[in-house]
Amino acid sequence: MALTRLNRIVQLSHTVSLTRPLHGSGCGLQLGAATQTEAPMESPRAVFRTSESEPASHGEQHIGQFYTIPPSQVKTIFPHGLPYRFQQQIKTFNEACLMVRKPALELIGYLKKADPTHPSVRYVLYGERGTGKSLSLCQALHHCSLQDWLILHVPDAHLWVKNCKELMASSYHRARFDQPIEASVWLKNFRVTNERFLKQIKTSQKYVWSKREFTDEGRPLGEIVDQGVTRVKNASDAVGVVLKELKAQARPGSYRLVVGVDGVNALWGRTTLRKEDRSLIDPSELTLVHNLRKMMKNDWCGGAVIATVTQTGSVFTPSSAYLPQELLGKEGFDFLDPFLPVLVPAYSEKEFESSYQYYRDRRWIQHHTGHTEEGKKELLFLSNRNPAALERLCAFL
Amino acid sequence: VLPVRWTRYNPYYLEPEPSREVYRIPVTELTDEQKAAQELKAVRPIKATPSGLTSSVFSDPTVSKFVNMMMEDGDKVLARSIITQTFESMKRKQVEKYHKAPATEKEGIECNPYTIFHQALENCKPIIGLISIQKGGKYYQVPTPLTDSRRRFLAMKWLITECRDNKHRRTHMYEKLSQELLAAFMNEGNVIKRKHDMHKMAEANRAFAHYRWW
């Protein structure tokens, strides 16, 4: 299909294909299965779903299966976290189903085994475009939320360094710039996710917002968040205060904090924002970025930092770049070093099969040839087993 | 250098055969006509394939024709993307309705965007058309039968012009098209109204039917 907008899908599927033999390691994952609803590879019709809705109890035998997240959890844990196409899918299918995949499982395993007394480990998810980094991050955050951790989720750091409608000079620091809209929106969503922690955690010093407004020492953090939401001018400073307090008080005895940032390479890249004299703004001159960078350092204990490096949405990066070194640049890589890299590959044979069966079950593949072997082979070929490409292909079929 | 498709070919050029099934038949099971066609292919040149023709199992000639009609300035990428977005939005609406409906009503909801498209097009095709014939210095609108291709052309043309002209300016084309196609599938909407108007005019001008001499 030379002239179609499958150009974009072809871009997605031009990934480095991990050629696995059909009868090789794909079947090996199933050998450990014992009690789960396992059927042989030839007819995996009912196998693509699992009834375990807690990521903590997922194991190797669940790889390739879909688990459902109840709607109440979706509303509290992910008010802003899920990618837009996944949100549309939830709305259409009337359920939120995520596939259990190896990178997320690996990440959750590390989180379970991590020692809270040691400095927080930084995990960086990387991979080609459309392989599922954001959703793996969301899966890990879902697990952390069920384990009662405090979730700090920045859904897309790239949104903070481009297309800002209102940029104002910061009142706190003369050389920096504030972004009131982005900060207040993030604070609102943060409040939805972590209601219960905001009442427990108390501020450790007095913060003065203006001549008549201040927050005393020992007040709950919820007041700072309310201050940022109501007084939009101080929103970015409120975000800074919240991050500082959470980091200072995240000791092994109290709550555990997980920082999830999608597109962390935006913090060390370039911005498209300009000052009034038309000179480009460096990311370090933005309050939000400056404060978030401080969170990414590993000088605090009792938590974890999970980040994604992505080229989608980033500015001034070539579309073929997907490795952390290329996307973070020297400055970012040195800042994040040492980190644990986790590669997110495209679907394996089994995962592709599972995804195809899920779409068929949910009546998503409607074209009559989509149900035949020929159609399935064509989908496999066109998408090159890339999750996002498959999703976009099945959308109009 | 890729062969470019000319507008006019010498009649002895043969049409290209895109479907894979034809090539998979083993040599022994070919019928006589197919054998003759194979031999002809060895001696005659073949026309260059148009860019919209594929060997994909998902290709549909009606949809390709619709894409070509929607295309402006040769931007087939844009036209095709609008059509795919239309199908996606139609499917989303219907699948959402399907999943929220109780089990008794599930059978009645049509989710396949291709069947909806074909049925809507079928519902929009006029049965009888009007033709302008000059007699005695005046032009009369004379009712006349239409060929299948003319009917299909009129249905597609009406759909596209309706969506381009008579909708709110800030809605996307795929949104407008999906609404119009779903309405036409239910035999409602402005395009069906236009078809009925055409039929009524033809009925009203019955008297002039004998002005047509073919």
Side-chain angles (χ1 to χ4, degrees):
Chain A
M1 299 197 181
L3 287 184
T4 62
R5 212 156 242 186
L6 287 185
N7 279 346
R8 177 129 167 103
I9 299 176
V10 164
Q11 243 179 39
L12 280 171
S13 52
H14 266 178
T15 56
V16 173
S17 61
L18 305 165
T19 47
R20 285 174 200 221
L22 258 175
H23 305 288
S25 48
C27 299
L29 289 165
Q30 274 205 337
L31 290 177
T35 49
Q36 280 304 310
T37 49
E38 284 303 338
M41 277 286 271
E42 292 81 57
S43 60
R45 279 197 174 269
V47 199
F48 58 89
R49 279 199 200 267
T50 174
S51 46
E52 307 268 357
S53 64
E54 302 225 345
S57 44
H58 289 153
E60 287 266 310
Q61 70 268 35
H62 292 108
I63 289 187
Q65 296 187 333
F66 282 85
Y67 79 99
T68 323
I69 309 180
S72 51
Q73 286 180 13
V74 173
K75 250 199 282 198
T76 32
I77 311 175
F78 301 119
H80 59 170
L82 298 167
Y84 180 61
R85 282 200 80 93
F86 190 66
Q87 284 175 4
Q88 280 183 315
Q89 191 183 298
I90 295 179
K91 191 162 159 287
T92 316
F93 294 167
N94 221 13
E95 61 175 13
C97 276
L98 277 181
M99 196 200 275
V100 178
R101 292 184 72 196
K102 194 146 169 287
L105 223 57
E106 210 180 302
L107 203 55
I108 293 173
Y110 294 151
L111 287 169
K112 280 197 241 181
K113 291 192 202 134
D115 193 346
T117 47
H118 291 174
S120 51
V121 186
R122 292 170 292 195
Y123 306 94
V124 171
L125 290 159
Y126 70 101
E128 301 256 347
R129 183 200 274 226
T131 43
K133 305 181 279 289
S134 305
L135 280 181
S136 301
L137 175 67
C138 291
Q139 215 172 335
L141 290 178
H142 180 225
H143 164 258
C144 294
S145 170
L146 291 177
Q147 303 295 316
D148 227 16
W149 292 32
L150 212 170
I151 306 221
L152 206 103
H153 188 34
V154 177
D156 198 356
H158 293 296
L159 296 174
W160 288 359
V161 299
K162 59 179 181 178
N163 300 340
C164 179
K165 295 273 160 59
E166 284 177 20
L167 203 67
M168 35 185 266
S170 164
S171 47
Y172 182 69
H173 196 281
R174 218 158 353 120
R176 290 206 211 123
F177 291 91
D178 267 357
Q179 284 148 306
I181 316 178
E182 277 95 1
S184 57
V185 160
W186 184 82
L187 276 172
K188 264 190 256 187
N189 291 319
F190 177 71
R191 187 167 50 185
V192 168
T193 325
N194 303 304
E195 283 283 3
R196 124 184 144 69
F197 287 103
L198 291 177
K199 294 190 199 103
Q200 290 173 359
I201 304 173
K202 310 282 182 212
T203 52
S204 57
Q205 67 175 91
K206 177 169 166 171
Y207 295 103
V208 179
W209 302 111
S210 67
K211 242 190 279 183
R212 268 162 281 216
E213 288 169 23
F214 58 89
T215 313
D216 265 326
E217 188 180 326
R219 305 293 301 159
L221 252 192
E223 280 200 12
I224 310 258
V225 179
D226 292 327
Q227 173 75 28
V229 172
T230 41
R231 288 266 175 276
V232 186
K233 267 180 85 171
N234 300 332
S236 321
D237 294 322
V239 170
V241 164
V242 161
L243 292 178
K244 184 172 123 178
E245 290 292 328
L246 288 176
K247 187 166 152 174
Q249 299 184 19
R251 277 177 290 277
S254 66
Y255 59 86
R256 298 195 70 183
L257 172 65
V258 66
V259 180
V261 183
D262 209 327
V264 80
N265 46 321
L267 304 181
W268 288 282
R270 289 163 61 183
T271 61
T272 46
L273 309 170
R274 286 176 185 268
K275 294 181 219 167
E276 265 144 20
D277 56 357
R278 306 247 343 214
S279 55
L280 278 171
I281 302 183
D282 204 49
S284 49
E285 290 174 30
L286 292 165
T287 346
L288 287 172
V289 173
H290 181 85
N291 293 324
L292 197 58
R293 276 193 198 179
K294 285 193 251 176
M295 284 305 277
M296 306 298 291
K297 236 173 150 193
N298 58 348
D299 51 0
W300 51 283
C301 316
V305 174
I306 317 179
T308 326
V309 279
T310 163
Q311 193 277 332
T312 331
S314 66
V315 287
F316 305 115
T317 41
S319 57
S320 56
Y322 75 96
L323 297 166
Q325 170 74 47
E326 295 162 349
L327 287 169
L328 287 169
K330 187 173 180 320
E331 204 192 321
F333 196 87
D334 290 334
F335 197 96
L336 280 182
D337 204 19
F339 61 83
L340 223 118
V342 180
L343 170 68
V344 183
Y347 279 157
S348 62
E349 291 285 349
K350 186 171 169 213
E351 286 170 344
F352 178 85
E353 177 71 39
S354 173
S355 184
Y356 173 78
Q357 292 298 336
Y358 175 65
Y359 284 142
R360 273 189 70 174
D361 171 67
R362 292 273 93 198
R363 302 275 191 277
W364 195 227
I365 302 184
Q366 284 284 332
H367 201 276
H368 63 97
T369 44
H371 301 296
T372 58
E373 268 307 309
E374 278 283 339
K376 194 163 126 196
K377 273 194 252 178
E378 184 150 336
L379 282 175
L380 182 72
F381 173 73
L382 285 173
S383 64
N384 194 16
R385 282 196 254 125
N386 182 299
L390 179 66
E391 201 259 312
R392 274 172 196 268
L393 271 175
C394 296
F396 60 84
L397 283 178
Chain B
V1 174
L2 289 169
V4 170
R5 192 171 172 92
W6 305 323
T7 333
R8 308 184 63 166
Y9 277 95
N10 192 312
Y12 69 75
Y13 276 69
L14 302 172
E15 291 289 339
E17 177 58 68
S19 89
R20 280 176 276 192
E21 296 309 318
V22 170
Y23 297 109
R24 282 199 193 136
I25 310 172
V27 186
T28 43
E29 285 176 31
L30 291 172
T31 61
D32 288 326
E33 311 158 327
Q34 283 171 329
K35 276 199 195 121
Q38 288 275 50
E39 271 148 41
L40 209 53
K41 273 196 191 157
V43 287
R44 297 267 197 98
I46 305 182
K47 294 184 194 174
T49 333
S51 55
L53 194 66
T54 51
S55 62
S56 159
V57 293
F58 301 118
S59 61
D60 191 344
T62 336
V63 172
S64 308
K65 192 56 87 177
F66 196 65
V67 168
N68 286 338
M69 286 194 62
M70 274 210 60
M71 173 165 65
E72 270 178 27
D73 295 332
D75 196 350
K76 200 183 293 231
V77 176
L78 182 60
R80 198 177 152 105
S81 73
I82 295 174
I83 304 293
T84 48
Q85 283 168 342
T86 313
F87 285 157
E88 185 186 334
S89 87
M90 277 202 297
K91 194 160 58 145
R92 264 192 211 281
K93 290 184 205 167
Q94 294 294 97
V95 171
E96 203 179 328
K97 243 199 302 184
Y98 177 90
H99 285 306
K100 293 202 171 118
T104 45
E105 283 172 42
K106 276 198 182 177
E107 297 296 316
I109 301 176
E110 178 60 59
C111 292
N112 191 339
Y114 292 85
T115 42
I116 298 178
F117 175 71
H118 286 125
Q119 188 57 47
L121 208 65
E122 213 32 67
N123 293 349
C124 290
K125 283 184 188 171
I127 302 175
I128 191 167
L130 290 169
I131 231 169
S132 197
I133 292 189
Q134 187 191 24
K135 187 142 173 142
K138 270 171 65 176
Y139 285 90
Y140 296 95
Q141 293 292 318
V142 176
T144 168
L146 300 167
T147 57
D148 246 339
S149 52
R150 176 83 187 150
R151 292 169 67 209
R152 186 185 61 175
F153 170 80
L154 280 173
M156 292 185 180
K157 189 84 186 168
W158 289 342
L159 269 171
I160 295 172
T161 40
E162 161 70 34
C163 289
R164 279 183 186 159
D165 303 333
N166 297 351
K167 301 273 189 188
H168 183 63
R169 135 195 109 82
R170 294 267 311 199
T171 31
H172 291 282
M173 187 65 182
Y174 69 85
E175 186 59 50
K176 296 188 256 198
L177 251 183
S178 68
Q179 284 169 0
E180 204 51 54
L181 281 170
L182 282 168
F185 179 69
M186 301 291 168
N187 271 317
E188 303 155 350
N190 284 348
V191 191
I192 301 287
K193 188 160 129 11
R194 188 164 170 178
K195 173 186 90 156
H196 289 327
D197 287 345
M198 168 88 121
H199 287 171
K200 281 183 210 156
M201 276 282 280
E203 187 58 39
N205 286 9
R206 260 180 86 144
F208 303 124
H210 63 281
Y211 281 1
R212 187 170 59 96
W213 63 86
W214 58 85

